[in-house]
Amino acid sequence: MRKLTLGSTSLEVTPICHGCWQASPKFWGEQPRERLVAALRRAIDTGVNFIDTADAYGDGLSEEIVGEALAPFQRGQVIVATKVYHHFYPDGRRHPDLSHDYVLAECDASLKRLRMDYVDLYQLHSFDPLTHMEETTRALEKLKSSGKIRHYGVSNFTVEQLSWARRHGSYETLQPRFSLLHTEAEKDILPFCRMENIGVLVYSPLCNGLLTGKYNGAETFSDFRGKNPDFQGERFRKAAAAVQSLAPIASKYSATLTQLVLAATLATPLIDCAIVGIKTPEQIEEAAGAADIMLEREDYFAIRQKFAGLG
């Protein structure tokens, strides 16, 4: 699989990134641990070298699973990204906390769960309105100087928040939400990142499974999607129909609908990597097949037109 340099970092990553949010029972229900481990190992076998997790996914559970899955591999084989933001407690309480001391302590906790001496990319999961960026950055620079992290970035920041952060430190990546159904990031934050050579790894490119082609718009869900507007009523039906209508284009590229959607997501130079949420080995194997699909210009815009007005 091809690799690219993520922004101004030294990280050589695959454009498909294995996402680990699906290990969070709160959102996705209980998932068989052995299957999640097998999926991560299958990712490496298929050539995917980029893994994204967070301390908040299952209050540390996802990081533990990543640590178990990657233990047999040489550390240099895999680029691992995790995040910090939520101060969580054993009783389930949590609140934002990017204070200096918490960032330092939580990084150590993440490393212990991951069974690693360092993480390649440490990300602020969201913006903490009570902590000055200078304070948070001071902690990140300490972690970098000590070798516990190689690079740091942010997730879910606005242009203004990222600009402020970069006044205080070398924030080299952004992780925003983006899919063919949710394209808001194209208006400002993605062009800003390209101008500033900030690496972009988008999450939810398949819109929580909606853009995989598995649904017809009549399904119901017992997980968090049961209350998600994207999976309700006419919006759900129209989006599902739009995906199904892509079948002729997918056939042209000998691709599945999932692969076609991921290829279209990666086609724009505004996006470096697509983080695909994975539950099974089969899912990461399918997603990996999208990395080297190069769409013709006409097909790219035909795909985008299918979702125009649905966002």
Side-chain angles (χ1 to χ4, degrees), residues 35-69:
R35 192 173 67 187
L36 294 172
V37 168
L40 280 157
R41 291 176 178 171
R42 184 61 184 142
I44 309 304
D45 292 340
T46 59
V48 173
N49 79 337
F50 198 10
I51 310 294
D52 178 76
T53 185
D55 61 355
Y57 300 165
D59 292 356
L61 175 62
S62 178
E63 290 180 327
E64 292 175 359
I65 291 172
V66 171
E68 177 184 344

Side-chain angles (χ1 to χ4, degrees), residues 215-229:
Y215 306 116
N216 60 31
E219 294 85 357
T220 58
F221 300 86
S222 59
D223 54 35
F224 79 101
R225 290 175 293 184
K227 296 182 179 179
N228 186 325

